[in-house]
Amino acid sequence: MRERTGLETQIEGIGKLERDLEDALTLIELGEMEADAATVAEGEAAIIAAVRAGLPKRRPPRARIADLYAGIGTLSFPLAERHLVQAYEGDTATAEALRAAAHAGQVSRLLGERRDLVRQPLLPAELKHVIYVSCSPAALGRDAAAVREAGFDLVSATPVDQFLWSPHLESVVVFARRGFK
């Protein structure tokens, strides 16, 4: 019975998210072939644009953007063109590569850090806005319910259909802490 109650709560949360998404949804469809490098670049640009559009319009000058699971900096480097970015990555070699690339490119606004976000996550109190980029609708549904439960409201959602001939879907979802729209 306990499992069923938890599942029902998740389903209710996903249903609420779906209703909110109806008002905040913008779909971007790109490309015709999965292996087309131009399509991949166009999709990446669409994701970066959606993230930038989701940033708060008024931010304190020293405010930082936290890029969680930053990888090699796909989002970190473009965001660091205009903002101070703290990029967190759990994999040691990838975090080192990110730091080295930032140093070599003299990108002073990008600070790379190795951090195991599963064992040492950022706390909701540390955040005012969340821009969630996901390639997994199932993970997005699960995590969006947790983000909402932590006190954030859905602001917008942009699915990017980067590969028309596959079920793969990228999503950029913007949340703001209640009271910080």
Side-chain angles (χ1 to χ4, degrees):
M1 184 65 176
R2 191 177 235 187
E3 288 179 28
R4 181 181 168 110
T5 303
L7 181 58
E8 287 174 347
T9 302
Q10 284 183 335
I11 290 170
E12 287 173 14
I14 291 170
K16 170 87 170 93
L17 178 64
E18 287 174 346
R19 288 188 296 280
D20 288 350
L21 282 174
E22 289 176 7
D23 295 330
L25 194 61
T26 304
L27 175 64
I28 299 174
E29 291 185 336
L30 305 167
E32 296 198 13
M33 296 180 59
E34 291 179 40
D36 182 357
T39 299
V40 172
E42 188 179 347
E44 185 177 300
I47 292 166
I48 292 166
V51 168
R52 283 181 171 153
L55 292 172
K57 302 304 176 228
R58 292 193 288 162
R59 296 171 13 92
R62 301 183 73 90
R64 289 187 183 188
I65 295 172
D67 185 0
L68 310 183
Y69 303 100
I72 58 170
T74 302
L75 295 172
S76 302
F77 282 100
L79 291 172
E81 292 170 3
R82 300 181 200 153
H83 309 283
L84 183 59
V85 177
Q86 181 72 48
Y88 297 102
E89 173 54 47
D91 180 72
T92 301
T94 305
E96 287 298 323
L98 177 63
R99 277 195 293 265
H103 180 72
Q106 298 180 341
V107 182
S108 61
R109 293 184 188 159
L110 176 56
L111 308 169
E113 181 179 324
R114 191 217 168 278
R115 182 170 176 172
D116 183 342
L117 292 164
V118 173
R119 292 189 174 100
Q120 188 185 6
L122 290 183
L123 301 175
E126 297 177 75
L127 307 170
K128 292 184 180 151
H129 293 83
V130 173
I131 302 175
Y132 187 103
V133 180
S134 176
C135 63
S136 170
L140 173 59
R142 178 197 65 227
D143 294 344
V147 170
R148 291 174 58 96
E149 190 174 302
F152 293 82
D153 290 326
L154 176 72
V155 175
S156 67
T158 306
V160 179
D161 191 4
Q162 189 169 2
F163 307 113
L164 292 179
W165 306 113
S166 85
H168 186 80
L169 181 71
E170 297 284 344
S171 300
V172 179
V173 182
V174 178
F175 297 91
R177 180 168 294 288
R178 290 183 190 103
F180 286 98
K181 303 275 184 200

